[in-house]
Amino acid sequence: MVYDIIIIGGGPGGLAAAIYATRYEMKALLIAKAMGGELATAPMVDNYPGFPGMTGYDLMKKIEDHAKSFKVEIKAEEAIGITKNGAFKVKTAKEEYEAKAIVLVTGSERRKLKVPGEEELMGKGVSYCATCDGALFKGAVVGVVGGSDSAAKEALLLAEYAKKVYIIYRKPEIRAEPATKKLVYANPKIEIINNANVVKINGEKMLESVDLDTGKNMKLEGLFIEIGGIPASDLAEKLGAKLNEKLEVVINEDCETNVPGLFAAGDVTPVWKQAIVAAGYGSIAAYSAYNYIKSLEAK
Ligand SMILES: Cc1cc2nc3c(=O)[nH]c(=O)nc-3n(C[C@H](O)[C@H](O)[C@H](O)COP(=O)(O)OP(=O)(O)OC[C@H]3O[C@@H](n4cnc5c(N)ncnc54)[C@H](O)[C@@H]3O)c2cc1C
């Protein structure tokens, strides 16, 4: 069977694309490694219109249920290759699927610190997700590396469990949204260490301490690394799509890439990394894919 559209990604961008694709009565398939995407790991989402004060997991479950109510076909698989020879072929470990157009909404992967001890102590005190692991650190002293809004939110969540939370940031001031900053500054459990980088993570079996480039050694039981992501753009690149210097897939305002029939949206592209933006662009990508398919049929 040839699908009209294959959407790769099950985050806000992919699910919004699926909702629009099915409303346009396209034969749509959504392929995702992990449903819910990055937002499902967000401790608290307060800026998605219509759904104030929800956990990312609950919000994504709502969006997933919405998409499923339109009977979108979903495969929990990883796309490992895409080729184009007239139609597109998307390969997974199990199957090969064919479509007239592709919407790529693969998001980005967490960035690593790349310091000694990080790999060895991953899952042994070193984590990339406070939502997933925060509850394991009740009464502990933990650190968060990073100064973004996401990092500040991770620190706020961790402060609900931990005795003390240090935010370790390389610049003079954290760059979280003003509302998040206020909460961080007002939280007596959180202390910010500016102008510092973690250069080594120490521990025999479990994390014991970290070395900073200021010369300080900090005793920590948990270290949460929240320093952004690397766009999952390799599938697009192999297909000949143009990437920018940050390895994001270059799109125009209609979410078209330079490869006809390949559309991209959300965090894998150079747009603002926010769920509502990913959902908005996901809907544009689906609409553009619909117009592309109509133009093929008119030929
Ligand atoms: C801790 C944290 C807190 C955040 N808080 C907020 C917030 O409060 N408000 C807000 O608006 N945004 C927030 N964000 C950002 C938001 O999560 C992202 O902007 C949004 O999820 C991007 O959506 P997306 O659909 O582009 O990608 P993602 O949500 O990253 O989804 C990518 C999808 O693609 C799938 N995928 C990737 N590669 C493949 C492949 N090869 N084959 C199959 N599937 C694949 C993944 O499994 C996933 O389903 C937060 C992020 C984090 C990490």
Side-chain angles (χ1 to χ4, degrees):
M1 139 141 73
V2 180
Y3 291 94
D4 288 323
I5 174 175
I6 292 179
I7 298 156
I8 306 176
L15 288 165
I19 290 168
Y20 276 75
T22 47
R23 299 279 292 165
Y24 275 104
E25 297 187 342
M26 285 191 271
K27 248 184 284 158
L29 170 67
L30 185 145
I31 301 174
K33 268 196 293 197
M35 285 305 286
E38 275 230 304
L39 200 69
T41 70
M44 162 185 53
V45 183
D46 240 335
N47 53 9
Y48 200 93
F51 301 97
M54 280 198 128
T55 67
Y57 179 84
D58 287 345
L59 175 58
M60 287 315 301
K61 190 81 188 62
K62 271 193 181 292
I63 300 176
E64 185 184 333
D65 289 346
H66 185 177
K68 281 181 175 163
S69 73
F70 291 133
K71 308 227 174 333
V72 62
E73 196 178 333
I74 295 176
K75 303 274 179 191
E77 292 171 35
E78 177 175 2
I80 52 177
I82 312 174
T83 52
K84 188 184 181 202
N85 188 0
F88 291 90
K89 284 190 177 153
V90 178
K91 204 170 159 27
T92 70
K94 287 190 192 155
E95 288 273 354
E96 195 167 70
Y97 304 100
E98 210 171 324
K100 296 173 193 163
I102 301 285
V103 171
L104 195 86
V105 249
T106 41
S108 61
E109 283 205 3
R110 303 289 170 89
R111 202 176 284 279
K112 307 273 186 320
L113 269 182
K114 294 190 181 144
V115 297
E118 182 179 16
E119 255 184 57
E120 295 81 347
L121 294 167
M122 202 183 291
K124 297 170 185 162
V126 174
S127 169
Y128 299 85
C129 177
T131 310
C132 321
D133 302 329
L136 302 172
F137 293 85
K138 281 198 183 101
V141 179
V142 302
V144 174
V145 181
S148 65
D149 197 60
S150 300
K153 283 178 172 168
E154 298 264 294
L156 285 168
L157 176 76
L158 287 166
E160 290 179 24
Y161 307 109
K163 173 164 78 182
K164 179 87 189 170
V165 182
Y166 292 100
I167 296 179
I168 305 163
Y169 186 43
R170 64 196 165 97
K171 292 197 172 169
E173 197 186 335
I174 59 165
R175 55 189 172 82
E177 285 174 17
T180 314
K181 256 190 200 175
K182 265 189 204 156
L183 292 174
V184 167
Y185 292 152
N187 193 310
K189 286 188 183 173
I190 303 178
E191 185 176 329
I192 304 173
I193 301 175
N194 286 312
N195 301 310
N197 290 288
V198 171
V199 288
K200 190 161 176 278
I201 303 175
N202 310 301
E204 281 288 311
K205 289 188 181 139
M206 295 295 287
L207 169 70
E208 289 165 17
S209 71
V210 298
D211 294 342
L212 304 185
D213 60 356
T214 56
K216 191 173 176 177
N217 174 270
M218 294 179 70
K219 302 260 173 278
L220 293 178
E221 292 154 276
L223 184 70
F224 291 79
I225 298 167
E226 184 54 58
I227 51 170
I230 305 165
S233 55
D234 46 333
L235 289 172
E237 188 183 21
K238 284 186 197 139
L239 203 52
K242 196 174 162 211
L243 308 186
N244 66 12
E245 68 293 345
K246 291 182 181 164
L247 303 180
E248 295 160 328
V249 181
V250 175
I251 51 167
N252 65 11
E253 62 187 16
D254 294 323
C255 294
E256 290 171 316
T257 69
N258 58 308
V259 178
L262 175 70
F263 303 84
D267 281 12
V268 75
T269 71
V271 300
W272 190 24
K273 311 305 185 221
Q274 287 289 287
I276 188 68
V277 178
Y281 275 83
S283 69
I284 295 171
Y287 179 54
S288 297
Y290 170 76
N291 287 330
Y292 170 77
I293 291 163
K294 288 284 151 214
S295 76
L296 289 183
E297 286 167 4
K299 276 182 188 165

